[in-house]
Amino acid sequence: MARRWGIISLGMLFLAACADQQSQPPEPPAIMTWPDLTSRPLPAPTTTIRYRDGAAGVIDVWIPDGDGPHQVVVMIHGGCWQKSIADRTLMNYAAEDLRRRGLAVWNVEYRGVDEEDGGYPGTFLDVAAAVDALGDADPALRLETDHVAAFGHSAGGHLAVWAASRENLPETSPLYRENPLRLTAVINSGGLADLEASEPLTLPSCLADIAGQLTGAPSDTRPNPLSDTSPAELLPPDAHIISVNGSRDRIAPPVLGQDFTVTIKSAGGEASYREIEGSGHVELIAPGTEAFDVQAQLLMDALGGES
């Protein structure tokens, strides 16, 4: 009898263990890593043009099939503002996907803070010059420049929103230029657009460690280095700013996009927010993911096209 009860007890323990195991939520799927993206075959642009002298003074142009004129997306890569982390070719996968959808892509390079004359003001002057060069593009490229969208990822999100906010730069700033190219909409993709808010939330090596190089030192004429470098100080932007964040992004947590959207709206600007459940940072620029498909459609919608 004792043996029988022992068997029953073991059976009950086994069933209880199974029930407990079934009650535990399944582990979420792993988020993408950089090698998941960069191990893919690297697409090549249609052509490369130069907007200034120097290794960083280039723009890769991706032209879709058809006669045009082609609607254009200005693309700005991330990499924590550091060329040792990433250059424009990280965005080749995204650029080729958009090209196949019928959009031209203006994928710009710029000096990182770890390059000679990068940081303040060089990084910003490069981005401004590369964006404005679109207005003087070769007519043979058949680009439609009256309504232009921008797509910036991570640090590139900051630079894309900054490019759309340049009309609010103080005229005393070394970054001020008259009549900058107007952007209709910007996808702030996992972006670090509000520098002050982003610094304590992203990796120290991504922003805190290089913040002084990026924004420059304070001076008597420029006591606040964020005054002409952080879009949160240049409100409201003329463009519609669409912040897109992955719910599991550890580089740009969703709260950054949420709060920046509120900040823009509070200043009277046009802004919206999308969060992609289960997405990390890499998925945002990886074709074939839900995160990238959502953003591609947002770009098509902003430019009045069809995906």
Side-chain angles (χ1 to χ4, degrees), residues 96-116:
E96 173 62 11
D97 185 279
L98 294 180
R99 188 196 70 80
R100 290 174 179 268
R101 295 174 190 251
L103 295 176
V105 177
W106 191 258
N107 187 20
V108 309
E109 192 56 274
Y110 56 89
R111 284 170 289 185
V113 300
D114 52 349
E115 294 182 283
E116 185 178 0

Side-chain angles (χ1 to χ4, degrees), residues 9 13 41 44 46 71 80 85-86 90 118 181 187 200 206 220 245 250:
S9 297
L13 286 171
T46 306
Q71 294 169 314
C80 300
I85 295 177
L90 182 63
L181 183 83
I187 303 294
C206 190
D220 291 341
N245 288 84
R250 296 188 289 261

Side-chain angles (χ1 to χ4, degrees), residues 4-300:
R4 179 184 176 192
W5 281 110
I7 293 173
I8 292 173
S9 297
L10 286 172
M12 292 176 66
L13 286 171
F14 176 75
L15 291 173
C18 289
D20 181 66
Q21 189 176 43
Q22 291 175 354
S23 67
Q24 299 297 319
E27 289 290 326
I31 59 175
M32 287 184 70
T33 64
W34 289 117
D36 292 331
L37 175 64
T38 58
S39 61
R40 301 178 182 183
L42 187 68
T46 306
T47 189
T48 298
I49 64 172
R50 181 164 291 283
Y51 69 91
R52 66 160 183 80
D53 293 335
V58 293
I59 301 162
D60 288 338
V61 187
W62 304 70
I63 303 296
D65 296 335
D67 295 333
H70 307 293
Q71 294 169 314
V72 186
V73 174
V74 172
M75 187 167 281
I76 307 181
H77 71 85
C80 300
W81 300 273
Q82 297 166 66
K83 196 60 61 62
S84 61
I85 295 177
D87 65 12
R88 72 191 185 283
T89 62
L90 182 63
M91 304 299 286
N92 283 22
Y93 312 96
E96 173 62 11
D97 185 279
L98 294 180
R99 188 196 70 80
R100 290 174 179 268
R101 295 174 190 251
L103 295 176
V105 177
W106 191 258
N107 187 20
V108 309
E109 192 56 274
Y110 56 89
R111 284 170 289 185
V113 300
D114 52 349
E115 294 182 283
E116 185 178 0
D117 296 326
Y120 186 87
T123 294
F124 297 90
L125 294 175
D126 281 3
V127 170
V131 172
D132 289 345
L134 177 58
D136 297 318
D138 186 342
L141 296 174
R142 308 183 307 280
L143 303 178
E144 197 282 292
T145 58
D146 289 337
H147 296 90
V148 177
F151 180 86
H153 179 248
S154 198
H158 157 258
L159 293 170
V161 180
W162 177 85
S165 306
R166 287 183 293 154
E167 63 178 15
N168 297 326
L169 282 168
E171 293 187 17
T172 56
S173 169
L175 309 182
Y176 176 81
R177 296 290 184 274
E178 291 185 355
N179 302 317
L181 183 83
R182 182 181 180 274
L183 298 174
T184 300
V186 176
I187 303 294
N188 175 36
S189 177
L192 305 172
D194 183 335
L195 294 180
E196 184 175 20
S198 299
E199 185 169 336
L201 295 181
T202 192
L203 299 175
S205 59
C206 190
L207 180 51
D209 293 350
I210 54 94
Q213 296 165 267
L214 177 66
T215 64
S219 66
D220 291 341
T221 57
R222 186 174 168 266
N224 177 14
L226 299 180
S227 63
D228 58 353
T229 57
S230 180
E233 303 285 334
L234 300 170
L235 298 174
D238 190 33
H240 178 196
I241 308 300
I242 308 169
S243 293
V244 181
N245 288 84
S247 66
R248 299 169 63 195
D249 192 337
R250 296 188 289 261
I251 304 296
V255 67
L256 291 177
Q258 295 164 0
D259 288 354
F260 190 53
T261 301
V262 172
T263 298
I264 294 172
K265 287 183 174 181
S266 298
E270 185 180 1
S272 54
Y273 174 73
R274 290 288 298 271
E275 186 168 317
I276 312 300
E277 184 63 34
S279 175
H281 201 59
V282 181
E283 288 89 340
L284 293 167
I285 57 170
T289 64
E290 177 190 3
F292 185 79
D293 285 344
V294 165
Q295 293 171 107
Q297 188 60 58
L298 288 169
L299 288 167
M300 300 295 293

